[in-house]
Short mmCIF file of all heavy atoms in Angstrom, two decimals:
data_model
loop_
_atom_site.label_atom_id
_atom_site.label_comp_id
_atom_site.label_asym_id
_atom_site.label_seq_id
_atom_site.Cartn_x
_atom_site.Cartn_y
_atom_site.Cartn_z
N LEU L 1 90.43 93.77 103.27
CA LEU L 1 90.14 95.19 103.09
C LEU L 1 89.21 95.71 104.17
O LEU L 1 89.43 96.77 104.77
CB LEU L 1 89.53 95.41 101.70
CG LEU L 1 89.04 96.83 101.39
CD1 LEU L 1 90.20 97.81 101.32
CD2 LEU L 1 88.25 96.83 100.07
N LEU L 2 88.15 94.93 104.47
CA LEU L 2 87.17 95.36 105.46
C LEU L 2 87.73 95.42 106.87
O LEU L 2 87.24 96.19 107.71
CB LEU L 2 85.95 94.43 105.41
CG LEU L 2 85.09 94.57 104.16
CD1 LEU L 2 84.06 93.44 104.08
CD2 LEU L 2 84.39 95.92 104.12
N VAL L 3 88.77 94.62 107.14
CA VAL L 3 89.43 94.71 108.45
C VAL L 3 89.85 96.15 108.74
O VAL L 3 89.69 96.67 109.85
CB VAL L 3 90.66 93.78 108.50
CG1 VAL L 3 91.54 94.11 109.72
CG2 VAL L 3 90.22 92.32 108.57
N PHE L 4 90.36 96.81 107.71
CA PHE L 4 90.91 98.15 107.90
C PHE L 4 89.89 99.25 107.65
O PHE L 4 89.69 100.12 108.52
CB PHE L 4 92.13 98.34 106.99
CG PHE L 4 93.24 97.38 107.30
CD1 PHE L 4 93.51 96.32 106.46
CD2 PHE L 4 94.00 97.52 108.45
CE1 PHE L 4 94.52 95.41 106.74
CE2 PHE L 4 95.01 96.63 108.75
CZ PHE L 4 95.27 95.57 107.90
N ILE L 5 89.21 99.24 106.51
CA ILE L 5 88.35 100.38 106.19
C ILE L 5 87.09 100.40 107.05
O ILE L 5 86.37 101.41 107.07
CB ILE L 5 88.00 100.43 104.70
CG1 ILE L 5 87.12 99.25 104.27
CG2 ILE L 5 89.26 100.50 103.86
CD1 ILE L 5 86.59 99.39 102.85
N GLY L 6 86.82 99.32 107.78
CA GLY L 6 85.72 99.33 108.75
C GLY L 6 86.04 100.18 109.97
O GLY L 6 85.17 100.42 110.80
N ALA L 7 87.30 100.66 110.07
CA ALA L 7 87.72 101.59 111.13
C ALA L 7 88.09 102.91 110.47
O ALA L 7 89.27 103.26 110.33
CB ALA L 7 88.90 101.01 111.90
N PRO L 8 87.09 103.69 110.01
CA PRO L 8 87.36 104.86 109.18
C PRO L 8 88.03 106.02 109.90
O PRO L 8 88.49 106.96 109.23
CB PRO L 8 85.97 105.26 108.67
CG PRO L 8 85.03 104.75 109.71
CD PRO L 8 85.65 103.48 110.22
N GLY L 9 88.10 105.99 111.22
CA GLY L 9 88.79 107.04 111.92
C GLY L 9 90.29 106.96 111.74
O GLY L 9 91.01 107.96 111.88
N ARG L 10 90.78 105.76 111.41
CA ARG L 10 92.23 105.59 111.25
C ARG L 10 92.62 105.20 109.82
O ARG L 10 93.65 105.67 109.32
CB ARG L 10 92.73 104.52 112.22
CG ARG L 10 94.20 104.21 112.03
CD ARG L 10 94.78 103.43 113.18
NE ARG L 10 96.18 103.11 112.94
CZ ARG L 10 96.99 102.52 113.81
NH1 ARG L 10 96.52 102.20 115.01
NH2 ARG L 10 98.24 102.27 113.52
N TYR L 11 91.84 104.35 109.18
CA TYR L 11 92.19 103.86 107.85
C TYR L 11 91.21 104.44 106.83
O TYR L 11 89.99 104.31 106.99
CB TYR L 11 92.13 102.33 107.81
CG TYR L 11 93.07 101.68 108.81
CD1 TYR L 11 92.60 101.23 110.04
CD2 TYR L 11 94.42 101.53 108.51
CE1 TYR L 11 93.46 100.64 110.95
CE2 TYR L 11 95.29 100.93 109.42
CZ TYR L 11 94.80 100.49 110.64
OH TYR L 11 95.65 99.92 111.54
N VAL L 12 91.74 105.06 105.78
CA VAL L 12 90.88 105.69 104.78
C VAL L 12 91.28 105.23 103.38
O VAL L 12 92.46 105.02 103.09
CB VAL L 12 90.93 107.23 104.88
CG1 VAL L 12 90.44 107.70 106.22
CG2 VAL L 12 92.33 107.76 104.62
N VAL L 13 90.28 105.07 102.53
CA VAL L 13 90.54 104.70 101.14
C VAL L 13 91.11 105.92 100.42
O VAL L 13 90.46 106.96 100.34
CB VAL L 13 89.26 104.22 100.44
CG1 VAL L 13 89.56 103.94 98.96
CG2 VAL L 13 88.71 102.97 101.11
N GLU L 14 92.31 105.78 99.92
CA GLU L 14 92.99 106.88 99.24
C GLU L 14 92.68 106.89 97.75
O GLU L 14 92.49 107.96 97.15
CB GLU L 14 94.50 106.74 99.47
CG GLU L 14 95.32 107.91 99.00
CD GLU L 14 96.79 107.72 99.37
OE1 GLU L 14 97.46 106.89 98.74
OE2 GLU L 14 97.25 108.41 100.30
N SER L 15 92.62 105.70 97.13
CA SER L 15 92.33 105.63 95.70
C SER L 15 91.84 104.23 95.34
O SER L 15 92.05 103.27 96.09
CB SER L 15 93.56 105.98 94.86
OG SER L 15 94.60 105.04 95.08
N VAL L 16 91.19 104.13 94.18
CA VAL L 16 90.70 102.85 93.65
C VAL L 16 91.10 102.78 92.18
O VAL L 16 90.92 103.77 91.44
CB VAL L 16 89.18 102.70 93.78
CG1 VAL L 16 88.73 101.34 93.29
CG2 VAL L 16 88.72 102.93 95.22
N THR L 17 91.67 101.66 91.75
CA THR L 17 92.05 101.48 90.35
C THR L 17 91.43 100.20 89.80
O THR L 17 91.18 99.24 90.52
CB THR L 17 93.57 101.40 90.19
OG1 THR L 17 94.09 100.37 91.04
CG2 THR L 17 94.23 102.72 90.55
N ALA L 18 91.19 100.20 88.49
CA ALA L 18 90.62 99.03 87.81
C ALA L 18 91.71 98.00 87.56
O ALA L 18 92.77 98.33 87.02
CB ALA L 18 89.97 99.45 86.50
N LYS L 19 91.47 96.75 87.93
CA LYS L 19 92.45 95.70 87.70
C LYS L 19 92.59 95.37 86.22
O LYS L 19 93.66 94.99 85.75
CB LYS L 19 92.07 94.45 88.49
CG LYS L 19 92.32 94.59 89.98
CD LYS L 19 91.57 93.58 90.80
CE LYS L 19 92.02 92.16 90.53
NZ LYS L 19 91.33 91.20 91.42
N SER L 20 91.52 95.54 85.45
CA SER L 20 91.55 95.17 84.04
C SER L 20 92.43 96.10 83.21
O SER L 20 93.09 95.67 82.25
CB SER L 20 90.13 95.17 83.47
OG SER L 20 89.54 96.46 83.61
N THR L 21 92.48 97.38 83.57
CA THR L 21 93.22 98.36 82.77
C THR L 21 94.29 99.12 83.56
O THR L 21 95.15 99.76 82.96
CB THR L 21 92.26 99.40 82.18
OG1 THR L 21 91.62 100.12 83.24
CG2 THR L 21 91.19 98.73 81.32
N GLY L 22 94.21 99.07 84.90
CA GLY L 22 95.12 99.87 85.72
C GLY L 22 94.72 101.33 85.81
O GLY L 22 95.43 102.13 86.44
N ALA L 23 93.59 101.69 85.22
CA ALA L 23 93.16 103.08 85.21
C ALA L 23 92.63 103.49 86.57
O ALA L 23 91.98 102.71 87.28
CB ALA L 23 92.09 103.29 84.14
N ILE L 24 92.87 104.74 86.93
CA ILE L 24 92.38 105.28 88.19
C ILE L 24 90.87 105.47 88.11
O ILE L 24 90.34 105.98 87.12
CB ILE L 24 93.08 106.62 88.52
CG1 ILE L 24 92.71 107.12 89.93
CG2 ILE L 24 92.78 107.68 87.47
CD1 ILE L 24 93.36 106.34 91.03
N GLY L 25 90.15 105.02 89.15
CA GLY L 25 88.70 105.12 89.17
C GLY L 25 88.17 106.10 90.19
O GLY L 25 87.11 106.69 89.99
N ALA L 26 88.92 106.28 91.29
CA ALA L 26 88.47 107.19 92.34
C ALA L 26 89.66 107.65 93.17
O ALA L 26 90.62 106.90 93.37
CB ALA L 26 87.43 106.51 93.24
N VAL L 27 89.59 108.87 93.65
CA VAL L 27 90.58 109.40 94.59
C VAL L 27 89.83 110.20 95.65
O VAL L 27 88.78 110.78 95.38
CB VAL L 27 91.63 110.30 93.91
CG1 VAL L 27 92.55 109.49 93.01
CG2 VAL L 27 90.97 111.44 93.14
N SER L 28 90.38 110.22 96.85
CA SER L 28 89.75 110.98 97.92
C SER L 28 90.80 111.78 98.67
O SER L 28 91.99 111.47 98.63
CB SER L 28 89.02 110.06 98.90
OG SER L 28 89.93 109.35 99.70
N SER L 29 90.35 112.83 99.34
CA SER L 29 91.25 113.57 100.21
C SER L 29 91.39 112.78 101.50
O SER L 29 90.43 112.22 102.02
CB SER L 29 90.69 114.97 100.50
OG SER L 29 89.42 114.89 101.13
N THR L 30 92.61 112.70 102.01
CA THR L 30 92.88 111.88 103.20
C THR L 30 93.48 112.71 104.33
O THR L 30 93.94 112.15 105.32
CB THR L 30 93.84 110.73 102.85
OG1 THR L 30 95.03 111.27 102.26
CG2 THR L 30 93.18 109.76 101.87
N GLN L 31 93.48 114.02 104.20
CA GLN L 31 94.09 114.86 105.22
C GLN L 31 93.23 114.88 106.48
O GLN L 31 92.01 114.96 106.40
CB GLN L 31 94.26 116.31 104.70
CG GLN L 31 95.21 116.44 103.54
CD GLN L 31 94.63 116.00 102.22
OE1 GLN L 31 93.41 116.04 102.03
NE2 GLN L 31 95.46 115.57 101.31
N ARG L 32 93.90 114.78 107.63
CA ARG L 32 93.21 114.94 108.92
C ARG L 32 93.81 116.15 109.62
O ARG L 32 94.96 116.12 110.05
CB ARG L 32 93.33 113.69 109.79
CG ARG L 32 92.54 112.51 109.26
CD ARG L 32 92.21 111.50 110.34
NE ARG L 32 91.35 112.07 111.37
CZ ARG L 32 90.86 111.37 112.39
NH1 ARG L 32 91.14 110.08 112.51
NH2 ARG L 32 90.08 111.93 113.29
#
């Protein structure tokens, strides 16, 4: 994961989900 998100100009975290429940935990805008 850090290989990519450590270059935030190109790779951005779009969403995060919990593995235990599959529930959405975070979302971000990714438009450039």
